[in-house]
Amino acid sequence: MDAQTWRVGSRCLLLLALVGSIRSEGVQSCEEVRKLFQGRLVGPVKGLPDSPRAGPDLQVCTAKKPTCCTRKMEERYQVVARQDMQQVLQTSSSALKFLISRNAAAFQETLETLIRQAENYTSILFCNTYRNMALEAAASTQELFTDVGLYLFGADVNPEEFVNRFFDSLFPLVYNHLINPGVTESSLEYSECIRTARRDISPFGNIPKRVLGQMGRSLLPSRTFLQALNLGIEVINTTDHLHFSKECGRALLRMQYCPHCQSLALTKPCMGYCLNVVRGCLAHVAELNPHWHVYIRSLEELSDAMRGTYDIEHVLLNFHLLVNDAVMQAHLNGQKLSEQVNKICGRPVRTPTQSPRCSFDGSKEKHGMKISIRNGEETLANRRKEFISSLRLYRTFYGGLADQLCANELEAVDGLPCWNGEDIVKSYTQRVVGNGIKAQSGNPEVKVKGIDPVINQIIDKLRHVIQLLQGRSPKPTKWELHMGSGGGMVEQVSGDCDDEDGCGGSGSGEVKRTLKITDWMPEEMNFSDVKQIHQTDGGSTLDTTGAGCTAATETMSLTLMGVVMLFPGLW
């Protein structure tokens, strides 16, 4: 015999003894009821009956036998019964709520870290490779990644606009320092003309379009994923603080505290009786179940789809390489671009000036950088997979909530003497109804009327976010953001990934790039020598050579540490 069976058996023996005592003696002290009322409800005992007496004014806990309850006690018990129900709801959902809120916070923290890393890599690229333009590029680089963060976390900013704004700002710098090199400064008006001409003459080829495509494919799913997690928390908060109907409140009182009035404080409800009461009280909540199931399935599908160029980790940590490709392409086509700019903006009137030196951290300025391969377990994709695996266990949470509460929190019993709402009986004989509003028409314990506008509103929100999640899951083709005819973004389905998408990697989000940079760069770089990208088995290596350049020295490893642990002991 296990401990639980022994406890149930001992309680039943005690209950039977109490019942026998009441029925044999007819009169019994209400002292235990008074103590329980005072201890549980922190209410005064003054005015409470010392012994059972008739209770003609009772509204719910009516009985033919004398009672230890008064009308005021009954009213207070009904308040506490509602509070108890809300408490058990919160207890039952606490693990689910913690799972979602912990991961939502951790994913947001991780994205913030990725954004900082990507900005850092881009700044190092400018500071070490294109030193003359580094300070001028810093502001547009910072603005770009600030906008990336704002977009990911729900702000109303447009990726097409901030990506184009970055390349618009980059072109005057490349033109002044590489295409027409020299320690010079052009007028603001001339720089503005070059900036606005960028979209017409396309100095960076298709790279801005590639960046926009990769940003669109990776940022929007991540943004939607975070929004969906926050809605999941909202759903749980809503059901944790339900407003119970008057009928439900009376039924909860009858089930939980009416036994006290007969000095049966240790009794437990019959399982079937408990199910009828709780299923009636949670009838509207049970309507969430099919939508909650689809919500979790849609989260899983989106998470599975966020690979390769859909993987934000992959895209952000390789952004600086595309920037370098863009600068090199403009430089290689320098003569043609110079002619085009002269036609549009005229020839610049230049004033010699001292080019500002890079002010990046000295320890980073004198070293190259290496983005190391991280352990597979550290990737954001794997942590999403682990989260979804845990979340999948809660797909039918709202469909089985009433059963869970009766079996675990309310300690209802089956096959043993129990409370049926009126007395201690061997078993509950009424029909047990199912879950959901339609099933409550035959509920003998709770009358369910009308609709719950709060639950209906949260169901509408779930439907909306499910549509968003399913719209962001490429099955079997993929979606992409493109510039529409009116300048806005439109979603467009495209075919398989191609080379321009940059999806030649493993698709797991694991990135290995080694950027070897000289620890000194001349003020005037001679790009008639070669700036080449060599493809190696270990990734892409950028070797920078030029007049007066020394050989590359040490390298510095900047390794993404993976997901930021808000609760490190729980991963």
Side-chain angles (χ1 to χ4, degrees):
M1 180 182 295
D2 58 26
Q4 183 176 2
T5 304
W6 183 87
R7 286 196 300 270
V8 171
S10 62
R11 285 180 176 180
C12 289
L13 290 174
L14 178 57
L15 290 175
L16 291 173
L18 287 170
V19 172
S21 174
I22 291 175
R23 289 175 176 168
S24 61
E25 297 178 14
V27 177
Q28 180 176 322
S29 170
C30 293
E31 183 62 27
E32 288 302 316
V33 177
R34 288 160 56 90
K35 288 180 180 179
L36 287 171
F37 183 83
Q38 184 180 28
R40 173 67 183 85
L41 309 172
V42 197
V45 295
K46 184 178 180 181
L48 303 185
D50 295 319
S51 59
R53 63 187 184 185
D57 59 341
L58 297 182
Q59 299 294 308
V60 180
C61 299
T62 57
K64 296 179 181 179
K65 298 183 290 292
T67 178
C68 288
C69 288
T70 65
R71 176 69 179 275
K72 288 186 177 181
M73 289 175 66
E74 188 182 54
E75 291 173 354
R76 180 62 181 144
Y77 273 137
Q78 185 164 346
V79 172
V80 174
R82 292 170 180 264
Q83 293 174 347
D84 288 348
M85 187 61 177
Q86 197 167 83
Q87 181 62 48
V88 297
L89 277 174
Q90 293 172 7
T91 300
S92 67
S93 66
S94 60
L96 172 59
K97 183 177 180 179
F98 181 67
L99 173 68
I100 298 178
S101 58
R102 176 191 67 179
N103 280 280
F107 289 146
Q108 178 165 333
E109 190 83 13
T110 300
L111 291 174
E112 291 171 351
T113 299
L114 285 172
I115 292 167
R116 288 194 299 270
Q117 287 281 11
E119 181 179 350
N120 190 32
Y121 295 163
T122 307
S123 297
I124 291 176
L125 171 71
F126 279 115
C127 195
N128 288 282
T129 311
Y130 308 109
R131 180 168 304 197
N132 284 349
M133 68 177 77
L135 279 181
E136 295 171 86
S140 56
T141 300
Q142 183 180 31
E143 181 183 7
L144 171 71
F145 287 105
T146 297
D147 286 336
V148 167
L150 289 172
Y151 179 75
L152 279 174
F153 304 135
D156 186 19
V157 292
N158 190 320
E160 179 186 325
E161 292 179 0
F162 62 68
V163 168
N164 278 323
R165 191 160 56 242
F166 172 79
F167 284 104
D168 288 346
S169 300
L170 180 61
F171 183 42
L173 305 183
V174 173
Y175 185 82
N176 288 333
H177 293 285
L178 298 184
I179 296 176
N180 283 324
V183 187
T184 60
E185 178 181 284
S186 60
S187 66
L188 292 177
E189 293 79 8
Y190 193 78
S191 293
E192 177 63 19
C193 181
I194 299 174
R195 191 189 71 81
T196 55
R198 197 274 302 178
R199 302 189 196 189
D200 294 326
I201 64 179
S202 300
F204 304 125
N206 69 343
I207 291 175
K209 181 181 178 181
R210 287 172 56 189
V211 171
L212 179 59
Q214 291 188 12
M215 288 282 189
R217 285 192 297 268
S218 62
L219 296 185
L220 189 52
S222 295
R223 169 186 166 113
T224 305
F225 193 82
L226 279 179
Q227 288 175 335
L229 294 189
N230 288 327
L231 178 62
I233 298 170
E234 182 181 349
V235 171
I236 299 169
N237 284 335
T238 300
T239 56
D240 276 355
H241 299 88
L242 282 178
H243 175 72
F244 298 107
S245 68
K246 181 179 179 180
E247 284 289 334
C248 171
R250 291 166 65 91
L252 291 172
L253 165 62
R254 184 179 295 110
M255 180 176 72
Q256 294 178 260
Y257 288 104
C258 284
H260 288 216
C261 299
Q262 298 184 32
S263 295
L264 298 175
L266 297 179
T267 189
K268 296 299 177 184
C270 301
M271 179 59 75
Y273 172 55
C274 180
L275 289 174
N276 277 341
V277 171
V278 179
R279 285 175 177 175
C281 288
L282 301 184
H284 295 96
V285 174
E287 297 298 314
L288 282 167
N289 192 59
H291 307 285
W292 184 256
H293 188 282
V294 176
Y295 162 78
I296 293 179
R297 188 183 66 201
S298 301
L299 272 175
E300 182 177 3
E301 290 173 352
L302 179 60
S303 179
D304 289 343
M306 292 162 68
R307 299 189 301 266
T309 54
Y310 295 91
D311 182 1
I312 191 170
E313 195 168 16
H314 173 92
V315 170
L316 290 180
L317 295 183
N318 287 276
F319 173 76
H320 65 284
L321 298 178
L322 285 177
V323 171
N324 185 71
D325 288 347
V327 174
M328 289 175 59
Q329 181 162 336
H331 176 256
L332 291 174
N333 295 320
Q335 184 175 353
K336 179 182 177 182
L337 292 174
S338 183
E339 292 172 357
Q340 290 176 304
V341 169
N342 288 343
K343 287 181 180 179
I344 297 173
C345 302
R347 295 185 178 276
V349 177
R350 298 182 179 274
T351 305
T353 184
Q354 179 66 35
S355 179
R357 294 298 301 271
C358 176
S359 62
F360 205 71
D361 186 293
S363 63
K364 297 174 183 176
E365 187 178 357
K366 50 188 281 194
H367 294 287
M369 73 177 175
K370 178 182 179 181
I371 309 174
S372 304
I373 291 181
R374 289 157 290 109
N375 186 305
E377 296 181 356
E378 295 178 353
T379 65
L380 185 58
N382 280 353
R383 285 193 164 80
R384 278 197 311 266
K385 183 178 180 180
E386 180 183 342
F387 163 64
I388 293 295
S389 179
S390 299
L391 187 62
R392 197 182 296 119
L393 301 176
Y394 294 92
R395 284 177 297 185
T396 59
F397 175 75
Y398 286 107
L401 185 56
D403 303 62
Q404 178 187 341
L405 294 182
C406 285
N408 299 332
E409 307 297 338
L410 300 174
E411 300 180 7
V413 295
D414 197 9
L416 295 170
C418 53
W419 176 255
N420 71 347
E422 295 179 356
D423 206 346
I424 298 292
V425 296
K426 290 183 178 180
S427 63
Y428 183 69
T429 58
Q430 296 284 353
R431 171 176 174 256
V432 179
V433 301
N435 288 293
I437 295 176
K438 291 183 179 180
Q440 304 312 307
S441 59
N443 193 325
E445 308 299 342
V446 185
K447 292 182 180 179
V448 179
K449 301 177 182 179
I451 61 173
D452 188 326
V454 175
I455 295 299
N456 280 4
Q457 184 180 39
I458 207 70
I459 286 176
D460 287 341
K461 289 184 178 181
L462 271 176
R463 286 172 175 162
H464 176 68
V465 83
I466 287 168
Q467 289 179 341
L468 291 179
L469 289 168
Q470 293 177 345
R472 305 299 177 245
S473 299
K475 306 173 296 182
T477 53
K478 65 183 182 178
W479 60 271
E480 185 174 348
L481 293 179
H482 289 286
M483 288 179 286
S485 58
M489 289 194 302
V490 294
E491 292 186 10
Q492 177 173 316
V493 176
S494 59
D496 296 333
C497 181
D498 54 34
D499 292 339
E500 287 189 3
D501 293 328
C503 32
S506 64
S508 65
E510 296 176 0
V511 184
K512 183 177 181 182
R513 293 288 187 271
T514 303
L515 181 60
K516 294 182 179 179
I517 302 176
T518 59
D519 59 354
W520 175 81
M521 196 69 64
E523 291 292 341
E524 298 186 20
M525 298 174 59
N526 182 1
F527 280 87
S528 59
D529 293 330
V530 183
K531 181 186 288 270
Q532 295 177 325
I533 291 184
H534 302 287
Q535 296 296 328
T536 68
D537 292 339
S540 296
T541 302
L542 173 64
D543 292 331
T544 302
T545 59
C549 290
T550 62
T553 56
E554 305 174 58
T555 60
M556 173 180 66
S557 294
L558 297 177
T559 305
L560 179 64
M561 299 305 293
V563 177
V564 176
M565 307 306 172
L566 298 184
F567 305 90
L570 296 169
W571 285 101

